[in-house]
Each structure stands twice: as structure tokens, then as C-alpha cells.
Amino acid sequence: MIVGVSHDRVMRALVCSVAASLSIGAATRAGAQAPSRDAASFTLEQMLDYPFTGELAAAPRGARIAWTVNLRGVRNIWTADGPGYEPRQITSYTADDGQELTNVSVSPDGQFVVYVRGGDHDANWDAEGNVQPDPNNSPAQPALQIFAAPTSGAAAPRLLAEGDEPVISPRGDRVAFLKNHQVWTVPLDGSSPARRMFFERGQSESPTWSPSGDRLAFVSRRGDHSFIGIFSADSTPVRYLAPSTSHDDAPVWSPDGTRIAFVRLAGSGGAPETLLDLHPRPWSIWVADAATGSAHKVWQSPSTLRGSFPTTAGQANLSWGAGDRLVFLADLDGWPHLYSIAERGNGTPLLLTPGAFMVEHVATAPDHASIFYNANTGTTAGDVDRRHLFRVPVDHAAPVAVTQGDGLEWSPVVTGDGRSVAFISATSSRPPLPTVTSLTDDVGRPRVLAQSLIPATFPAAELVVPKPVTFRAADGTTVHGQLFERAGGAAKKPGIIFVHGGPPRQMLLGWHYMDYYSNAYAVNQYLATHGYVVLAVNYRLGIGYGHDFHHPAHAGPWGASEYQDVQAGAAYLQRLAEVDARRIGIWGGSYGGFLTALALARNSNVFKAGVDLHGVHNWIADYRGLTNQQLQYEKGDITRALDVAWKSSPVASVSMWKSPVLLIQGDDDRNVRFHETVDLARRLAKAGVPFEELVLPDEIHGFLRHASWLAADSATVSFFDRQFRVQGAP
């Protein structure tokens, strides 16, 4: 947890993924008469027995795609090629060992899939000594490794090197990657050992090959500033592009390899800004000559809150379009939208995607003439809480829907031959699977791949269809949520509020594109079909409802204004005829754990039990800013801000906390300090508040093992069953 510097930095430091841990010992709440459960017939283990499709990639040429599958914690790589797209598994991992498969890419000739095994790619910081996660408690220390798997499946994957973020050269002969914050290279065929590609004084990031594969651009982090560099040969000095005191980022080569576009933000420094106010974060787009390093500014954002650097998926999403147009994402009209601008134009960007919706995952077509993206809009009621795919030309605002209906689609990639778009799709009852749609012959007829991976015992037919609902917070803010309830049963049911983490997240009307929230969706489905009414609250700070909702005033440590939305959700549940207003529970992880703890601390009269997964409990616990010499003279509003941050912390209200809570966390959490749970447990014990613990040794924030999720989810359901005396509870 990081507090200080700025509101945006605090929020970015808390981006969530998942978490958990266990050890039990507390009281069961006496409650009202037990309701009839009228439950579905499936078990929680069956509910969690679903395949999750994570990363999806396409070969730069031809019609081959590859993707990752996680089934019961066993992760593998699959591939398929057009036009038939018959799936086949090309790796043979068999254990629920908690080793991620990430950074998937396909070689230009389609013959190899390169990927990374191991690590924690959602972490806010590295573990001491950069030790990789070991949630399986293996005596052998895990490593972060890069592999190349033949797509033929004829041979086992080849270990190329230890490292991360591999990028295959367009020539298909070698792979650049990061190791110890430097760029290394290794032949794709593994014919010689990896070596450091070049020396540079900063910390290297974002290696990016030129279209011809003869040069490599990268970001050089230098602390309070950063440069874009180009490496071309061992005998040629690294060239830095228009170096300045700014932070330069996101280099993108022009299709002809002569220029590089990049993003520029102000360097770190200057007089401290107030912490309790929102401040603009202006940015600009530059283009540099790759041969000389000279650069010119193409576009400058307005110095307004909506003109600030975007914080949704992919941030600026900068890319080159046909006709020397640059495409980027910005919130200029209050929504994350795509714009394009001529490299040598008049500085006025063209809005490509008008409307009250959010553009999220973005992909450029091979010919650079159009952009594919997913957005929370469409022709079906409730699409604000779904995702559908669209295509738009880079030079005029003419979006066309690629998918529609009551399903969800995301992560588009266009095949190298330009004939198909692959993506991941789900519904309210079917978990995420790879899907392909033709862009030529059978437009609008998506083909879902690998459906045989869904076990026969998975209870798809018994799941409820969540309903989109809205309600108003005390200050008048409209809040969206998804209501899960199973019809039937005469007795009133307990109500459960679910609060997501992040906080830049949005729960959806179906399975989620993040594995953490697919797990949460599964648990909410199980609760709803086994005796509860569940409301997932999309509180302010989240995405999907515009810039101002995503960036509210006085949120988080600076006032927790978003807590009003949680309170409004509880009031909504209490008004439902089928809900027992005396039995309202709450659960969530990471930032959702913070809001769970805050609800129990401030309003035990409303929230009668809660499950807090790796939540933040004390906003000032890690603050060290007062030792900074500058703050002795330039304090800004630091004294008042620290007071507000303390009062916005759950631990500030422990004296009012009465309701029982289950605390869950892995002790190798690299997003929220494990001490947050240790400290809260000691405070609750002293205050006489009943609590239980589930601690998972060596697990991270977003649990890596299926067994860990099953333990945490089982403990969550069991805890609520006991607290609310749901029939059939132990």
C-alpha cells in the first residue's frame, strides 16, 4: 500500500487481481429464523470447475491463433489455425502448481508459440530478492522462464532463457526479453545461450522491434524522467529520441520503420500538489525520426481533468493507422474513446467512437486501415454492463458492430491474413472461451472454440441470469449493479453485497475477462442459487460509466466518497420483499476488502457479517513522506490530508465494529501488505470483535492455485451460512 504524492498514484498502487488465506476461530451470530434454502443441486466444487481462457494472440502472418487455458489450476497453451480452427493443446502441464502462463505470442511463420511460465504479473512490487511465487510450497525454488512451444505439438516446449516480456523479431529468428531490468536476446531455436543485448544506465522496459527486425526501441526509466532509446548494432551507440526532463513512454514504430510515435508526460518534481483535490495530468503525443532522433509534437492534451492521461486498459493505446494517422485513446468528451490525428495535421483530433460508452481492449488490423475494439454498448438492454466488439476506420467515425446480443466479447486480435478476428467470449452461464468470426464470408456468425473443455458436471443450466439494476447514493450519484436471485421459496433470504477490487473494475452481466472476477462471479452465482440474494455494486472509482464516475472527488484515502454507493446498495437490498433486511452481509477482495472492512467498522447495524480478502485497512500505515526534507517547507495540505486518510481507514472505526468477519490473505501478497491483515486481527482481538482467519502460506494477492481459491471460496460460503443460519450449513 502506498500513500502520499498524489491521488492517482495511490489508486494505481492498489490495482487488484485476487487474494486469500485461512485458520478459524470465532463466534456464530444468533439470527432470525432459518429460511428454506430451495437450493440448486450442484456443489461449490462443481461451480468452480470451469475453464478460464486468459491471453489470446495471433500470428503476424497467416491464420494461426494461440491462447491460454486454466482448468482446475492446470495451465496450458492451445492453438488453432484457419479456416477450420480446430483446437489442439500444445503443452502438457498437469499440476495445480501456481505457475502462470503469460506473455503469449506466435512467431511470424506460425510455427512456435513463445510464452512465460511463472511469476506474478499483477504485482505492485517484487518480493525481496525478486523471488518468484511458490504457492505450491515446493522445496525447489521456482524461476521465471521463457519457453518456445512448437505449434505442431511434435516436441516438448524448449526453454529459451530466464526472463520476462519476450518479443519475437519480425524476422522470426530471435526473441528480445527483459532480465534484471535490461534487454536480453536469445535465438528462437535455442541454438545459443541468451546474452544481454546492450548496456544502458536506466531500467529498460517495453522492448519493441522495428517492422524489419533490424532495430529495437525501448523505454529507459531514469527515476524522475525517462527516455525512448533505439538500439541498432553492437558497434553503434544507442540513440535517444529528443531527450528531455519528461517521462517518455509507449514507443510505436511507423509501418515503414522510419519514425517512432510516443507519449510524453511531465517529469516527476515541482511544488507538491494538494492531496485532497483532483489535478489535471496533461500529456502529449510526439513523433521522432528514427535516424536522427529529432522529434516534433503532434498533439497536446488540454490541461483539464478530462484531458488527463487515460487510466483505463492500455492507457493511451497509441498506434499507427494507414495514411500516417495516429490513433489514440483519451477521455476528452468524458468517456474513454478512440481518436485519430494526422501526423502532420493541424493538431485537432478526430473522434472515431462517439457515444456514452467506454472503449476498452484495442487491436489494429494488419493493414492499419481499421481498429477493432470492445465497448460497453450495443442494441441489447443492459449492454452498459457487457462488452461487444466493433470495427472503425482510422480516418472517419463509422463504427460497425462485429458482435451483439446478451453475451460478452473482449480481447480482439486480427489474424495475420486479415480474414478473421479472434476474441474471447462468454455468457451469463458459459465461462470464457476463444471465439472466431470471419471478416469475409460468414460475418456475424461467431464460432466458439474448445467447448469440450467445459466439464459435463458444470451446472450451466442451473445458473441465474443476473439483472441490471440502478439506485442512488446519498449525494444523488446513480450507481449500477447486478442482482443475482433465484426464484422460489416462501421465506425471506439473507442479502449479500459484493464489492470488486481495483478499484478500476466493472462487474458484468456474465463471466468476467479477469480470472479474479470470474471466480467472484462463480461465487455470487453459487450464493444466489443456494439461499441468498446477491448484489454486485459497481461503486464510483470503477470503470464503464464515464470519466467523472471513474475519477470522483474525495474518494479512497481522501474521504472514501465511494462508500456511499455501498451503503446505497445495502439499502436497495433491504427494500426488496424477498430479502430479510436484518441479515445483510458483504464480501470483497483488495479494494473490495477495504470497503468490506469499512462497512463492518462503520455500519455493523446494517452489515451483520463480512468476508474481507486482503483488504487495505490503514491508509497511512506505510506513509514515509514526512521524512522528506522538502515537506518541511512545502507541506501543501499534508497535515489535513493525513487526518482525512486516517478517518477514511477501517481501523479508525474499530470501536464501532461489532459484526463478525472472516479475514483471508496469502502471506506472499505483493499488492497489499500482509501486515494489513495482521494489524487488523490484533485490533479486532483487543476490541472483542469475533473474527476468523484463513491464511495461505506463500500465496500471492490473486491466488495462483485452484486449491487456494476452492479453500477461500468454501470458507466464504461456510462463514455466511453459519452467520445467517442458512439451512444445511454446518
Side-chain angles (χ1 to χ4, degrees):
M1 184 187 66
I2 301 174
V3 172
V5 189
S6 74
H7 175 276
D8 282 346
R9 179 174 172 184
V10 170
M11 293 307 165
R12 289 196 301 275
L14 290 169
V15 170
C16 122
S17 259
V18 188
S21 4
L22 178 63
S23 117
I24 295 180
T28 299
R29 170 176 297 276
Q33 180 181 356
S36 171
R37 177 163 248 191
D38 187 40
S41 60
F42 59 88
T43 66
L44 180 61
E45 189 167 7
Q46 288 173 318
M47 183 72 245
L48 298 178
D49 193 16
Y50 60 88
F52 181 82
T53 301
E55 296 192 13
L56 175 68
R61 299 193 293 270
R64 178 156 289 161
I65 60 174
W67 64 92
T68 61
V69 173
N70 183 343
L71 180 59
R72 306 182 193 97
V74 180
R75 297 167 171 85
N76 276 292
I77 306 287
W78 288 65
T79 188
D81 53 279
Y85 289 104
E86 292 298 328
R88 60 181 182 276
Q89 183 177 325
I90 61 171
T91 61
S92 301
Y93 300 111
T94 59
D96 176 19
D97 56 9
Q99 298 303 301
E100 292 184 333
L101 298 184
T102 59
N103 290 271
V104 173
S105 59
V106 186
S107 62
D109 61 7
Q111 298 303 302
F112 292 93
V113 174
V114 173
Y115 62 95
V116 173
R117 187 165 189 265
D120 176 6
H121 289 86
D122 286 317
N124 287 339
W125 60 80
D126 293 332
E128 185 176 351
N130 201 28
V131 176
Q132 302 306 318
D134 183 23
N136 200 34
N137 311 129
S138 172
Q141 181 174 325
L144 189 63
Q145 298 174 315
I146 300 171
F147 287 87
T151 53
S152 65
R158 177 189 303 119
L159 175 62
L160 297 181
E162 290 191 8
D164 202 0
E165 299 185 36
V167 185
I168 305 173
S169 165
R171 296 175 176 177
D173 58 340
R174 54 181 175 159
V175 178
F177 64 94
L178 297 182
K179 180 179 180 180
N180 299 326
H181 303 290
Q182 294 289 304
V183 180
W184 289 55
T185 185
V186 63
L188 181 58
D189 62 6
S191 58
S192 61
R195 64 178 182 85
R196 191 168 71 176
M197 200 170 189
F198 54 86
F199 166 78
E200 72 104 356
R201 189 174 65 83
Q203 293 189 343
S204 300
E205 293 181 4
S206 306
T208 307
W209 290 104
S210 65
S212 60
D214 60 338
R215 292 157 293 162
L216 187 107
F218 63 96
V219 176
S220 175
R221 299 285 179 207
R222 305 290 179 99
D224 56 6
H225 65 286
S226 59
F227 303 140
I228 305 297
I230 298 178
F231 169 78
S232 55
D234 292 342
S235 58
T236 304
V238 170
R239 172 173 289 111
Y240 293 102
L241 308 181
S244 71
T245 61
S246 303
H247 282 295
D248 293 345
D249 206 351
V252 184
W253 289 90
S254 62
D256 63 5
T258 62
R259 290 151 293 163
I260 290 180
F262 61 93
V263 167
R264 173 164 285 182
L265 295 97
S268 305
E273 295 179 323
T274 55
L275 296 172
L276 295 174
D277 304 304
L278 298 175
H279 300 279
R281 195 181 181 215
W283 57 291
S284 55
I285 296 173
W286 289 65
V287 170
D289 185 302
T292 67
S294 62
H296 65 277
K297 185 191 298 184
V298 175
W299 175 77
Q300 172 67 54
S301 76
S303 187
T304 62
L305 291 177
R306 292 185 175 187
S308 298
F309 189 64
T311 58
T312 44
Q315 297 181 318
N317 285 281
L318 183 62
S319 66
W320 284 87
D324 282 341
R325 296 192 70 85
L326 291 167
V327 179
F328 62 96
L329 185 143
D331 291 11
L332 302 179
D333 65 349
W335 292 89
H337 279 157
L338 290 175
Y339 294 80
S340 77
I341 189 169
E343 182 207 345
R344 295 285 183 180
N346 60 10
T348 302
L350 168 66
L351 173 61
L352 296 176
T353 56
F357 59 83
M358 172 187 68
V359 170
E360 195 170 34
H361 306 142
V362 179
T364 304
D367 62 3
H368 296 270
S370 59
I371 303 292
F372 289 80
Y373 62 93
N374 69 333
N376 60 332
T377 188
T379 58
T380 305
D383 275 345
V384 68
D385 291 337
R386 296 191 185 94
R387 299 290 186 269
H388 295 307
L389 299 188
F390 299 83
R391 180 181 191 173
V392 65
V394 300
D395 58 357
H396 60 288
V400 175
V402 177
T403 65
Q404 57 186 328
D406 59 3
L408 305 95
E409 303 85 33
W410 61 84
S411 298
V413 295
V414 186
T415 55
D417 61 3
R419 298 179 61 84
S420 301
V421 58
F423 50 94
I424 303 172
S425 73
T427 68
S428 60
S429 59
R430 175 179 59 75
L433 289 173
T435 307
V436 177
T437 289
S438 171
L439 297 174
T440 55
D441 302 324
D442 297 318
V443 176
R445 297 175 57 187
R447 177 183 175 188
V448 181
L449 310 183
Q451 295 190 71
S452 62
L453 287 176
I454 301 176
T457 55
F458 181 75
E462 297 189 70
L463 302 186
V464 302
V465 178
K467 305 172 186 176
V469 298
T470 60
F471 41 90
R472 287 192 179 274
D475 64 357
T477 299
T478 297
V479 184
H480 291 251
Q482 297 84 39
L483 186 68
F484 298 72
E485 58 178 331
R486 181 184 177 92
K492 289 179 177 286
K493 302 175 182 179
I496 300 291
I497 293 288
F498 172 76
V499 275
H500 62 73
R505 305 282 183 263
Q506 181 189 22
M507 296 306 292
L508 306 172
L509 292 168
W511 292 84
H512 206 275
Y513 52 83
M514 291 182 64
D515 55 357
Y516 188 105
Y517 297 108
S518 268
N519 175 82
Y521 180 82
V523 174
N524 287 336
Q525 281 280 3
Y526 183 84
L527 289 170
T529 51
H530 289 76
Y532 297 85
V533 177
V534 181
L535 176 62
V537 176
N538 283 338
Y539 55 89
R540 71 191 78 181
L541 285 175
I543 58 175
Y545 310 108
H547 176 94
D548 299 342
F549 190 89
H550 181 32
H551 300 277
H554 308 300
W558 316 131
S561 61
E562 70 279 14
Y563 179 58
Q564 299 175 76
D565 307 344
V566 179
Q567 291 175 300
Y572 176 89
L573 276 185
Q574 289 177 316
R575 290 193 297 269
L576 295 179
E578 62 271 31
V579 171
D580 184 347
R582 299 167 299 172
R583 291 183 296 163
I584 301 294
I586 184 170
W587 80 287
S590 196
Y591 206 93
F594 156 67
L595 288 172
T596 294
L598 196 64
L600 298 171
R602 291 185 176 181
N603 291 112
S604 281
N605 61 322
V606 175
F607 301 97
K608 300 301 184 179
V611 178
D612 168 1
L613 287 85
H614 48 258
V616 174
H617 307 129
N618 186 346
W619 285 116
I620 65 173
D622 283 351
Y623 185 76
R624 298 292 181 268
L626 289 178
T627 62
N628 188 310
Q629 185 66 31
Q630 184 184 32
L631 293 182
Q632 181 177 349
Y633 304 102
E634 296 184 88
K635 294 182 180 181
D637 63 345
I638 187 64
T639 301
R640 180 169 168 244
L642 286 175
D643 180 63
V644 172
W646 168 252
K647 292 176 180 177
S648 302
S649 302
V651 293
S653 300
V654 165
S655 63
M656 299 189 296
W657 191 324
K658 306 300 179 186
S659 298
V661 63
L662 168 61
L663 306 175
I664 301 178
Q665 190 166 9
D667 86 322
D668 190 21
D669 196 320
R670 305 170 189 205
N671 294 70
V672 173
R673 306 286 182 188
F674 185 66
H675 183 70
E676 292 282 328
T677 295
V678 174
D679 179 71
L680 179 61
R682 301 290 67 77
R683 292 174 188 264
L684 294 176
K686 185 175 181 179
V689 178
F691 70 93
E692 303 178 11
E693 300 175 346
L694 172 55
V695 174
L696 300 178
D698 298 328
E699 261 292 9
I700 64 167
H701 191 66
F703 301 149
L704 288 169
R705 298 189 66 223
H706 178 74
S708 301
W709 279 117
L710 182 58
D713 297 341
S714 298
T716 295
V717 171
S718 174
F719 179 80
F720 282 133
D721 281 354
R722 286 182 284 110
Q723 300 304 325
F724 294 133
R725 296 182 178 272
V726 172
Q727 186 175 334

